[in-house]
Amino acid sequence: MCVPVADGGEGTVETMISNLGGEYRTVEVTAPDGSRIQAKYGILKNRIAVIEMAAASGLPIIPKEKRNVMTATTYGTGELIRAALSEDCDQIYIGVGGSATNDGGVGMAQALGYSFRDQYGNEVGFGGGELIKIAEIDSSKVDPRLKNKKIIVMSDVINPLCGESGAAAIYGPQKGATPSQVLELDVGLKHLAGLIKEKMKIDLEELPGAGAAGGLGAGLVAFAGAEIRSGIKTVLELANFEDKLEWADIVITGEGKIDSQSVLGKVISGISQMAKKKNVPVIAVSGAIEYGAEIIYEKGVSTMEAAVCKTMQLDEAVKNADILVENAVERVMRAIQIGQRIGEM
């Protein structure tokens, strides 16, 4: 049996529609750079809306040469939420992987009616570079439909909002932030957290997952009343994966690269934890296996296999992914056959 899975990043909407049934919607939203794009979200049969912030505010949307983490906004994600609020649904699930942003969810909140003003009473601009200017948070024009929806944040990270393990320090560089910009973004997020604590009585600084998607996790909790959950665990629960393990002899899964981070809320981590409880062996196939990957054995993975087994450029590996993965799985199954023969001796 094939069970599509995702951890809150790209592919989450498609995964949940595949598992549960539903249909896609498309709406025009604001991209991280302020341009207008078309973005999809899903409506499931059980009155649940599913959104990927990556569809509106994701890193791949903007060409590398045009990326600017200081001005990148989550406004489009807020527009996706606003569209979902118009649907006949009780819950909204939001995957927050793959972001281009580091604005603490302020752009998202602006799209939902919040106003963030500086000391002169002017609305601040887009992006994490503007956070330090915020002096006042006005919620008087917030979309009232937010009160009637249960919002679940699906995240594959547990990073706090600020500090050495925070959104800016860990994920800022991969979005193009220089060392000085990382410091500026972190100061801005800390300033925002202080305002939220002072004016809204919500303490976000040490909340696990608050640093997801450049602080969007924190923003959704503060400005949309959301709850943060493990993305992969949520998807597996909705797909009734634990029930499927009752008859399974083995589970084969994987991801692009297996390293020491693979045990921190990623797909492999969620699957192996469930499988370990049922004593079902797990085999992980990935593009590459990095140093430190052996830690996944402690989490329930029985063995792993790399699909790329010779030196090649990433473009070549992606182009030939189908055959590389197929060959890797064949090697795995041949090893299983050897074990079966030894057991019969």
Side-chain angles (χ1 to χ4, degrees), residues 39-191:
K40 289 194 306 184
Y41 64 100
I43 299 296
L44 307 182
K45 291 181 178 179
N46 53 359
R47 295 167 63 88
I48 292 177
V50 187
I51 291 170
E52 291 173 22
M53 76 87 60
S57 312
L59 196 60
I61 292 173
I62 308 301
K64 195 169 184 179
E65 66 275 9
K66 294 184 178 181
R67 293 172 186 171
N68 185 347
V69 70
M70 303 302 290
T71 59
T73 179
T74 52
Y75 196 93
T77 297
E79 290 174 307
L80 275 182
I81 295 172
R82 202 167 64 205
L85 290 173
S86 301
E87 302 283 351
D88 182 24
C89 59
D90 299 318
Q91 301 178 61
I92 301 175
Y93 284 73
I94 304 176
V96 293
S99 75
T101 58
N102 205 104
D103 71 351
V106 165
M108 172 275 302
Q110 287 171 316
L112 293 174
Y114 281 89
S115 178
F116 298 85
R117 294 191 286 269
D118 62 21
Q119 60 179 327
Y120 305 108
N122 300 315
E123 187 74 14
V124 300
F126 285 159
E130 295 284 294
L131 299 183
I132 195 65
K133 299 178 182 178
I134 299 172
E136 190 63 42
I137 302 173
D138 182 357
S139 61
S140 62
K141 296 182 179 179
V142 173
D143 194 317
R145 296 172 298 178
L146 273 175
K147 295 180 180 178
N148 301 317
K149 304 292 183 184
K150 183 176 183 180
I151 299 179
I152 307 297
V153 178
M154 297 186 293
S155 174
D156 65 347
V157 303
I158 58 174
N159 300 76
L161 184 61
C162 314
E164 294 181 358
S165 301
I170 300 300
Y171 302 107
Q174 70 188 39
K175 301 172 187 181
T178 64
S180 62
Q181 287 175 330
V182 165
L183 291 175
E184 187 177 344
L185 290 168
D186 190 60
V187 169
L189 289 172
K190 194 170 186 66
H191 172 69

Side-chain angles (χ1 to χ4, degrees), residues 11 52 104 118 125 155 183 189 200 203 218 229 279 312-313 315:
E52 291 173 22
D118 62 21
S155 174
L183 291 175
L189 289 172
M200 304 177 71
D203 191 350
R229 294 184 188 173
N279 201 30
M312 66 177 69
Q313 295 294 318
D315 288 347

Side-chain angles (χ1 to χ4, degrees), residues 200-216:
M200 304 177 71
K201 311 304 179 187
I202 302 173
D203 191 350
L204 296 169
E205 280 202 49
E206 300 303 322
L207 177 68
L216 178 61

Side-chain angles (χ1 to χ4, degrees), residues 276-294:
K276 190 174 184 179
K277 291 179 183 177
K278 301 290 185 179
N279 201 30
V280 178
V282 175
I283 296 173
V285 177
S286 69
I289 299 173
E290 296 285 338
Y291 292 116
E294 60 275 4

